[in-house]
C-alpha cells in the first residue's frame, strides 16, 4: 500500500472503528542509493532491501525512493509516472512508482544523472563521478518534495534517509521547507567513513541559500559536508549497532564528526542490523552444491569440495578459512596478508572473494602466490560464490579495524561458518566469544580478538584452529550460531517504535 495518501481501493471503504495511533499503519519513505537485489555495493543495500518486509510486520508501510540507475529502472515492475520535472539538476526527471518483489518503490528517473552502468558512485576508471554532489542532492531534494506533499497522492509520515547520499533530506527540509507540510526525518549512518565531502565549487548547484554554507549548516573545513549537514538537522540519527553508536562519539571513532555527534547524542540510537534469513538459508540455497541444516552439517563437505574446485585448490581436510569482503584497510585485510605465511604455517587454508583498494588486493595476491596449494584469491563480486563459501568453509575471518555492524559474521553464523572477528562495533555486539564459560554453556557462536594487528589476527586464527580440533566444541558453536535469532524482527520493531515516536512529536 505504501505511502499513497488517497486510498487506491475501489469503492467505498467499509466502516471500521477508530484505531489507536499505535495500531494505525504508518507510511514511511525510505531514501537510499542502493537496494538489494536491484543494486548492491555493500551492506547498505542489504539493509534497505530487507527493511520493507521486516517493517510490514510492525505496521509500517515502507516505500523506498531510489535513483534511477539502469538496474533499478529495469527491475521496476508496473512503473507509473507520478511526477514530471522538466528541469531537475541539469535535465528532465520523472518520479516513477512501482514495486520489485513486493517492495514498494519510487524511482527518480533522471537519465542525465543516473543512466550509468556499473558501480553507482565510480566511473570506469574507479574515480568518483565528478557530479556526485549534484546526483545525490537531486535525490534528496526529490525526497523532500515528496515529504512536502508535492507529488500527488504521496504523504509519508516519516522520511528515513540512509547515509551521505540521502543526508541532504533534512537539510533541504530545514532551508527550503518553511510553511510546507513537514515529515520528521531519521538519518541512518551505515558507515561514518563515507561522508559525502565536496569542494565548495559545487555549492552553486545545490539550490540552497548562501546562509547554509556556514558552520551551522553544510560548511565542513571549507568544503561542503553532506553528512555533516544531515547530522545537524535530522530529527533523529541512528547507526547500525549499539557499540558503533558509542564508538562514533569518541575522537578515535568519530572520523571528525564526533563533536557533532556528541552534541546530538540525545537523538542518537544504535539499532543492530538483522540478516535476511530467507536470502541466507542453507536449507534452501540454490548456490550451494549441497543444502543442509544444523542436524546435517556433515553435508557441508560437498560444498567444501566445490570451493576447492572453483578456486583450483587440491582437496584436503585441513581447516578452510574464508573472507568475503571489500578488500580495504577498514576491513583489516592488509593484516591478514601480513599474517598469511604464519596462518598457513599453523595449518589453515584460506580462500578470499572480494575487491577493493589496489594495494590491499596486491598484498593479498602476492601472499597467495607463495602458497598456491593453500591460499586462493578471487578478485571480483560474486553473490553465488559468496554463498558457496559460507556453505563450505569452516570459518569466516572479519578482522575489521572498525565495523558499524557487518553482515558476514551474521551470514557466517547462519551457515555454520564460524565467524572470527575483531572486537569492534557490531562485530562485538553480534558474536559470542568462545571463552570457557560460553563454551561450557553452549552459547558461544564465534571467536573475538582485541588486538588489531597481524599478531592479533594470527592469535585468533591459532585459537580457532585449537577449537576446530575439539569436534564437540566446534559443532556446538556451529549449531549455536545457526540457532541464533539473527533476523530482522527485533530490530525492525525498534525502527517502527522510533518512527512512531518521531511522527507523534511532529504536529
Ligand atoms: P560493507 O562495509 O561492505 O557494507 P558488510 O559486511 O556490512 O560490509 O556487508 C557486505 C555485504 O556484501 C555482505 O552481504 C557480503 O556478503 C557482501 N559482499 C562483500 N564483498 C562481496 C563479494 N566480493 N562478492 C559477493 N558479496 C560480497
Amino acid at each position: 500500500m505504501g505511502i499513497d495518501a488517497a486510498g487506491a481501493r475501489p469503492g467505498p471503504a467499509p466502516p471500521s472503528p477508530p484505531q489507536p495511533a499505535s495500531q494505525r499503519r504508518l507510511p514511511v519513505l525510505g531514501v537510499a542509493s542502493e537496494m538489494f537485489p536491484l543494486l548492491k555495493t555493500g551492506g547498505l543495500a542489504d539493509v534497505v532491501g530487507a527493511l520493507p518486509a521486516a517493517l510490514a510486520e510492525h505496521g509500517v508501510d515502507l516505500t523506498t525512493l531510489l535513483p534511477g540507475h539502469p538496474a533499478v529502472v529495469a527491475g521496476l515492475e508496473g512503473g507509473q509516472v507520478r511526477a514530471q520535472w522538466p528541469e531537475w539538476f541539469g535535465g528532465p526527471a520523472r518520479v516513477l512508482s512501482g514495486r520489485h518483489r513486493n517492495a514498494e518503490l519510487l524511482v527518480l528517473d533522471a537519465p542525465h544523472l543516473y543512466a550509468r552502468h556499473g558501480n553507482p558512485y565510480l566511473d570506469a576508471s574507479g574515480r568518483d563521478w565528478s557530479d556526485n554532489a549534484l546526483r545525490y542532492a537531486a535525490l534528496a531534494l526529490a525526497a523532500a518534495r515528496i515529504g512536502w506533499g508535492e507529488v500527488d497522492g504521496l504523504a509519508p509520515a516519516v522520511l528515513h534517509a540512509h547515509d551521505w547520499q540521502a543526508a541532504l533530506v533534512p537539510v533541504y527540509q530545514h532551508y527550503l521547507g518553511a510553511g510546507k507540510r513537514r515529515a520528521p526525518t531519521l538519518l541512518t549512518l551505515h558507515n561514518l567513513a563515507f561522508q559525502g565531502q565536496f569542494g565548495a565549487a559545487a555549492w552553486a548547484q545545490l539550490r540552497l541559500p548562501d546562509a547554509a554554507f556556514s558552520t551551522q549548516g553544510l560548511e565542513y573545513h571549507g568544503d561542503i559536508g553532506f553528512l555533516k549537514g544531515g547530522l545537524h538537522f535530522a530529527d533523529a540519527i541512528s547507526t547500525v549497532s549499539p557499540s558503533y553508536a558509542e564508538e562514533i562519539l569518541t575522537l578515535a571513532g568519530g572520523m571528525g564528526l564526533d563533536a557533532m555527534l556528541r552534541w546530538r547524542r540525545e537523538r542518537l540510537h544504535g539499532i543492530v542490523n538483522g540478516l535476511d534469513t530467507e536470502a541466507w538459508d542453507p536449507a534452501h540455497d540454490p548456490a550451494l552444491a549441497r543444502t543442509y541444516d544444523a542436524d546435517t552439517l556433515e553435508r557441508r563437505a560437498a560444498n567444501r569440495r566445490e570451493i576447492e574446485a572453483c578456486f583450483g585448490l587440491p582437496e584436503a581436510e585441513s581447516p578452510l578459512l574464508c573472507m568475503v569482503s571489500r578488500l580495504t584497510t577498514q576491513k583489516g585485510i592488509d593484516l591478514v596478508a601480513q599474517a598469511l605465511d604464519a596462518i598457513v604455517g599453523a595449518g589453515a587454508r584460506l580462500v578470499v572473494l572480494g575487491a577493493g583498494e589496489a594495494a590491499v588486493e596486491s598484498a593479498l595476491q602476492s601472499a597467495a602466490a607463495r602458497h598456491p596449494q593453500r591460499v586462493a584469491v578471487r578478485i571480483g563480486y560474486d553473490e553465488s560464490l559468496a554463498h558457496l563459501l559460507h556453505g563450505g568453509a569452516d570459518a569466516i575471518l572479519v578482522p575489521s579495524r572498525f565495523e558499524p555492524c557487518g553482515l558476514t559474521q551474521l551470514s557466517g553464523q547462519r551457515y555454520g561458518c564460524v565467524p572470527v572477528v575483531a572486537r569492534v562495533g557490531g562485530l562485538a555486539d553480534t558474536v559470542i566469544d568462545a571463552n570457557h564459560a560460553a563454551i561450557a554453556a553452549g552459547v558461544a557462536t564465534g571467536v573475538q580478538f582485541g588486538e588489531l594487528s597481524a599478531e592479533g589476527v594470527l592469535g585468533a586464527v591459532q585459537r580457532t584452529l585449537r577449537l576446530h580440533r575439539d569436534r564437540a566444541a566446534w559443532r556446538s558453536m556451529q549449531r549455536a550460531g545457526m540457532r541464533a535469532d539473527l533476523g530482522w524482527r527485533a530490530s525492525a520493531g525498534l525502527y517502527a517504535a522510533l518512527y512512531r515516536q518521531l511522527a507523534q512529536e511532529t504536529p
Side-chain angles (χ1 to χ4, degrees), residues 143-505:
R145 289 187 68 175
I146 294 165
W148 293 327
E150 292 183 7
V151 175
D152 266 356
L154 302 180
V158 176
L159 303 180
H160 185 176
H162 295 271
D163 271 350
W164 72 263
Q165 293 90 343
L168 290 194
V169 175
V171 175
Y172 282 121
Q173 278 204 325
H174 177 81
Y175 287 107
L176 305 183
K180 300 183 174 171
R181 176 186 186 275
R182 176 161 158 67
T185 51
L186 169 64
L187 174 59
T188 294
L189 303 170
H190 296 263
N191 191 337
L192 204 52
F194 303 105
Q195 301 190 355
Q197 191 169 344
F198 300 99
W203 183 257
Q205 304 173 311
L206 299 188
R207 306 187 178 191
L208 284 161
D210 284 344
F213 193 65
S214 69
T215 51
Q216 297 303 307
L218 279 179
E219 193 271 329
Y220 188 53
H221 302 299
D223 284 343
I224 304 165
F226 275 33
L227 200 56
K228 185 249 178 179
L231 291 174
H232 193 116
F233 294 112
D235 294 293
I237 301 161
S238 72
T239 188
V240 289
S241 69
S243 287
Y244 192 59
E246 292 290 326
E247 290 170 10
I248 59 179
L249 299 176
T250 66
L251 188 61
M255 306 224 157
L257 290 170
D258 48 296
M260 162 69 76
L261 285 158
R262 285 195 296 276
W263 178 59
R264 301 289 335 261
R265 75 185 306 163
E266 293 301 316
R267 291 262 142 188
L268 174 64
H269 307 262
I271 302 178
V272 75
N273 284 340
L275 180 73
D276 182 338
T277 49
E278 272 181 36
W280 290 96
D281 178 2
H284 304 97
D285 188 335
L288 298 185
R290 201 145 183 219
T291 55
Y292 60 92
D293 60 24
D295 296 323
T296 54
L297 281 163
E298 67 287 350
R299 296 165 65 122
R300 299 179 87 252
N303 298 321
R304 166 201 290 252
R305 296 284 96 88
E306 185 72 14
I307 295 170
E308 289 162 342
C310 284
F311 280 82
L313 292 177
E315 288 189 8
E317 291 311 313
S318 48
L320 182 63
L321 313 177
C322 76
M323 293 197 294
V324 178
S325 179
R326 289 187 289 120
L327 301 181
T328 63
T329 43
Q330 178 209 326
K331 299 289 182 181
I333 310 296
D334 52 319
L335 305 177
V336 177
Q338 285 168 37
L340 204 51
D341 293 345
I343 289 175
V344 168
R349 298 181 295 156
L350 176 69
V351 286
V352 181
L353 170 63
E357 294 161 14
V360 177
E361 285 181 3
S362 71
L364 205 51
Q365 281 173 313
S366 59
R370 295 194 296 275
H371 307 284
Q373 306 282 304
R374 303 184 69 86
V375 180
V377 179
R378 176 80 57 90
I379 301 295
Y381 188 93
D382 186 332
E383 196 75 30
S384 297
L385 192 55
H387 282 240
L388 179 66
L389 291 183
H390 284 71
D394 295 296
I396 186 160
L397 287 185
V398 196
S400 307
R401 287 188 165 84
F402 69 93
E403 192 59 79
C405 181
L407 288 173
T408 54
Q409 82 282 11
L410 302 180
S411 43
Q413 287 176 61
R414 175 94 168 133
Y415 278 58
C417 182
V418 172
V420 179
V421 306
R423 193 180 300 114
V424 295
L427 302 176
D429 291 344
T430 55
V431 173
I432 300 176
D433 180 56
N435 57 48
H436 289 303
I439 295 248
V443 297
T445 59
V447 172
Q448 291 193 350
F449 65 96
E451 189 191 323
L452 292 169
S453 65
E455 291 73 29
V457 172
L458 177 61
V461 169
Q462 287 167 333
R463 190 151 81 89
T464 304
L465 297 180
R466 280 197 298 277
L467 284 160
H468 188 258
R469 284 193 286 274
D470 180 346
R471 297 311 295 160
W474 191 260
R475 276 279 187 262
S476 151
M477 253 201 309
Q478 288 179 297
R479 293 201 172 109
M482 293 179 82
R483 279 196 306 266
D485 182 9
L486 302 168
W488 268 103
R489 204 172 33 84
S491 293
L494 295 175
Y495 276 117
L498 186 52
Y499 293 155
R500 287 191 198 284
Q501 182 191 330
L502 287 169
Q504 268 162 24
E505 280 172 9

